[in-house]
Amino acid sequence: MDRWRVHKFGGSSVADAACIQRVADIIDKEKGSRLGVVLSACRGVTDALLALITQAERQQPVDDAVAALRERHVEMARTLIPGTSADAYTEVLDRDCQDITGILHAVHLTRSASPAVRDLVSGFGEIWSTRLFARYLTARGRRPGRVIWVDARDIVRVD
């Protein structure tokens, strides 16, 4: 049985569409069938999500900043993946942004965010980058039927 090879790429490695393409090139050169890829959020996204929480606690507007994060990811999706796949990615992204906006509204009202809320909101960056990367890797077609996106929230538990 092949041994697992796991690659971890930080935020600068997936900062934009060109960076994501370079990461995919690295992955495509791997010959083994047991390959894991772990990605951080795109550069600056986690900080931006945490800043949104601070803004909400201070009762400052957050809608424009949420929209800017959304647009950054939509632009990368349109660059990297074909139409219907980009549309599907954007549909899920939009639901996430609505959820974040709802959470931030509650933070705005209470003027406080718990550590669990901070973790929840800041974790969306990794979800967005990994979903995008999985769709892009699939669209490239070099690993047909072999790209499986796994939601880390389903398998990693921290007490």
Side-chain angles (χ1 to χ4, degrees):
M1 180 177 285
D2 284 343
R3 299 178 106 203
W4 276 95
R5 289 188 48 99
V6 178
H7 292 265
K8 165 61 169 92
F9 296 94
S12 294
S13 297
V14 291
D16 57 30
C19 291
I20 290 172
Q21 288 171 329
R22 283 192 292 277
V23 168
D25 290 341
I26 292 167
I27 297 307
D28 281 342
K29 290 177 184 170
E30 285 289 333
K31 301 295 183 217
S33 61
R34 297 172 63 101
L35 181 63
V37 180
V38 179
L39 302 178
S40 293
C42 298
R43 182 179 56 220
V45 170
T46 301
D47 289 341
L49 289 165
L50 289 169
L52 285 171
I53 295 167
T54 301
Q55 287 174 241
E57 287 177 321
R58 294 178 180 161
Q59 297 191 310
Q60 297 170 342
V62 296
D63 291 346
D64 289 347
V66 172
L69 281 171
R70 177 201 175 273
E71 188 55 35
R72 178 179 176 187
H73 287 82
V74 168
E75 186 177 308
M76 285 189 294
R78 288 184 183 141
T79 300
L80 294 169
I81 52 183
T84 57
S85 187
D87 292 344
Y89 174 83
T90 300
E91 187 177 310
V92 176
L93 176 68
D94 285 344
R95 284 196 303 267
D96 290 346
C97 289
Q98 289 172 354
D99 290 346
I100 289 169
T101 300
I103 292 165
L104 293 172
H105 179 71
V107 170
H108 176 90
L109 291 173
T110 63
R111 298 180 186 182
S112 178
S114 71
V117 166
R118 288 180 193 286
D119 291 346
L120 174 66
V121 172
S122 66
F124 276 101
E126 283 84 5
I127 299 302
W128 296 340
S129 65
T130 57
R131 278 186 192 142
L132 179 60
F133 186 73
R135 286 185 178 278
Y136 176 58
L137 209 55
T138 298
R140 287 168 62 112
R142 296 186 185 133
R143 294 185 171 269
R146 297 174 48 200
V147 177
I148 301 168
W149 179 77
V150 177
D151 189 334
R153 298 172 295 186
D154 292 337
I155 58 173
V156 176
R157 297 284 181 243
V158 178
D159 292 328

